[in-house]
Amino acid sequence: MAFLTFKEILELIDRVAERGISAVEIESAGLRLRVEGKRSEVLYSAPPQAVPGPSAPPVAQAEPFAPAGGPAASQPEVESEEGLHIINCPIVGTFYRSANPEAEPFASVGSRISKGSVLCIVEAMKLMNEIESDVEGTIVKVFPQNAQPVEYGEKLFAVRLS
């Protein structure tokens, strides 16, 4: 089963807001998505400056999680990020590895890249932003999954410089 599309996530957020549901959590395809609606003041015990106002929109969070069998053994991790160049996300949006679902990914683990090569697309407010490499090297890790929401500064790729 594939994880939810960006459109489905937005629809889920709207439904949570419409129905006044406090939270919905879905786990699938190596991701956990939690959509939180309005919180009750009684149940929420954060410092006053962090309490969202009554008109705060629902919040969606996606994060990798370890399968029930233990630590994330299903994904091989890069032993150490030491000596690797990390390419971070310059904007908030949705990460796409290719220009369309049928196309090959711009860059995969083992791909040789040069400065200026398009590595992925981050969709933000219906604009497709090509993310280019700022270095030459070989991709050793792709951090987000395809169609996953990403945040500013989040790791996208680990590159071994050449």
Side-chain angles (χ1 to χ4, degrees):
M1 177 179 150
F3 199 68
L4 298 172
T5 65
F6 185 69
K7 182 178 178 182
E8 291 169 327
I9 292 170
L10 291 176
E11 290 173 1
L12 180 61
I13 291 169
D14 290 341
R15 299 284 165 126
V16 168
E18 287 171 7
R19 303 234 167 111
I21 298 170
S22 62
V24 172
E25 187 167 315
I26 300 170
E27 292 182 10
S28 177
L31 288 176
R32 178 182 307 146
L33 174 70
R34 181 174 177 82
V35 178
E36 296 180 359
K38 293 181 182 175
R39 294 184 179 190
S40 168
E41 296 289 329
V42 175
L43 298 176
Y44 191 71
S45 61
Q49 68 271 17
V51 176
S55 62
V59 177
Q61 302 169 339
E63 58 188 56
F65 72 99
S74 61
Q75 268 192 357
E77 290 294 321
V78 177
E79 294 108 25
S80 168
E81 291 180 7
E82 189 174 316
L84 297 178
H85 177 77
I86 303 298
I87 298 174
N88 297 315
C89 190
I91 57 176
V92 174
T94 303
F95 173 86
Y96 293 105
R97 295 189 65 188
S98 60
N100 64 60
E102 294 82 34
E104 290 293 316
F106 292 112
S108 300
V109 173
S111 295
R112 179 100 179 97
I113 59 168
S114 58
K115 191 172 184 174
S117 300
V118 175
L119 301 175
C120 65
I121 292 175
V122 176
E123 177 188 8
M125 299 180 69
K126 306 213 186 258
L127 293 174
M128 301 299 181
N129 300 282
E130 291 182 342
I131 307 303
E132 297 178 349
S133 174
D134 56 345
V135 295
E136 285 190 23
T138 304
I139 302 285
V140 294
K141 173 93 173 142
V142 179
F143 291 96
Q145 294 186 9
N146 194 46
Q148 176 181 331
V150 290
E151 295 184 16
Y152 173 80
E154 185 173 333
K155 295 177 184 177
L156 298 178
F157 298 91
V159 179
R160 180 163 285 115
L161 301 175
S162 58

